[in-house]
Amino acid sequence: MKKRLLAWILSFALALSLLPVGVLAAEPHPFQDVPSDHWANEAVQYAYDEGLMDGVGPTTFAPGGTLTRAMFVTILGRQDGVAEDSQGENPFTDVADGQWYTDAVLWAAENNITDGTSETTFSPNNPLTREQMATFLYRFADFETEEPIEITGDLSGYTDADLVADYAVNAMTWAVGEGVISGIGNNTLAPDNTASRAQMATVLTRY
């Protein structure tokens, strides 16, 4: 009996040793500016593992860096598996063919996930605000599901709730209710503040 148990243990250990390293443990992200004790480390690890966010360099994530409108729709496009090919007619004069974000922008516009900043412009390099982030994600969630989205949040506890733009109220309420977005301190939502890359990674993890 003991011999059979020992043989089984040795066989199991041998099988484990033959498995790829990635099966046993996820590869740690390479970003030196997001150490293990950074508040967003787990979120950055998730975004990295899922292929949703890249670094700004081989070992740099820039967690406090500004997130742009083009970056966010590209992330959502990766989440949906958008193919890198033409997504139809391009209505935006400031989104040239062949840019790293072109297909994602056209996909997002075609599926009503985002509007332009005018009828003919998208402003891809503009910083993304927190209320825009909530709006894009709310529309993306609506795009992903066949059922109407239930809005269960409540913004009344935030002192700056009245600063949320009319177009973003439902989206921000939904995001708060789902726990996707939370306040940033002192019971404030800071809807017009720019979203950072670390905040985006955190939102993706919660979503």
Side-chain angles (χ1 to χ4, degrees), residues 29-35 58-61:
H29 68 68
F31 308 122
Q32 296 177 4
D33 55 350
V34 186
T59 60
T60 306
F61 186 77

Side-chain angles (χ1 to χ4, degrees), residues 23-24 28-29 36 41-42 46-47 75 117 157 165 176 193:
V23 174
L24 299 177
H29 68 68
S36 59
N41 176 60
E42 291 186 7
Y46 169 81
I75 291 168
T117 51
V176 168
N193 280 20

Side-chain angles (χ1 to χ4, degrees), residues 13-203:
L14 177 61
L16 285 179
S17 70
L18 296 176
L19 289 173
V21 174
V23 174
L24 299 177
E27 180 183 355
H29 68 68
F31 308 122
Q32 296 177 4
D33 55 350
V34 186
S36 59
D37 59 351
H38 191 284
W39 65 268
N41 176 60
E42 291 186 7
V44 170
Q45 183 72 55
Y46 169 81
Y48 172 75
D49 288 342
E50 296 296 317
L52 300 176
M53 296 184 73
D54 301 319
V56 297
T59 60
T60 306
F61 186 77
T66 298
L67 193 75
T68 67
R69 289 167 54 84
M71 287 179 185
F72 191 33
V73 293
T74 299
I75 291 168
L76 294 180
R78 289 173 179 171
Q79 177 86 14
D80 193 58
V82 174
E84 294 184 0
D85 55 20
S86 175
Q87 299 292 325
E89 184 178 354
N90 183 355
F92 303 122
T93 59
D94 57 353
V95 178
D97 292 340
Q99 299 299 307
W100 56 268
Y101 50 78
T102 301
D103 293 319
V105 169
L106 300 186
W107 160 81
E110 183 177 324
N111 290 286
N112 300 315
I113 293 168
T114 177
D115 298 321
T117 51
S118 76
E119 291 186 0
T120 57
T121 58
F122 181 75
S123 304
N125 297 316
N126 278 15
L128 187 78
T129 65
R130 285 167 54 81
E131 64 185 6
Q132 288 174 347
M133 179 170 62
T135 301
F136 285 13
L137 198 60
Y138 172 69
R139 292 174 179 172
F140 178 70
D142 186 56
F143 164 75
E144 280 199 312
T145 183
E146 296 180 357
E147 300 295 330
I149 293 180
E150 185 178 1
I151 300 176
T152 60
D154 182 8
L155 303 185
S156 62
Y158 295 98
T159 58
D160 59 349
D162 60 329
L163 298 181
V164 178
D166 290 344
Y167 77 85
V169 170
N170 283 345
M172 188 66 84
T173 305
W174 165 82
V176 168
E178 293 294 322
V180 176
I181 289 178
S182 57
I184 60 172
N186 297 322
N187 290 326
T188 59
L189 286 169
D192 203 38
N193 280 20
T194 56
S196 72
R197 288 170 52 81
Q199 287 175 347
M200 184 67 254
T202 301
V203 164

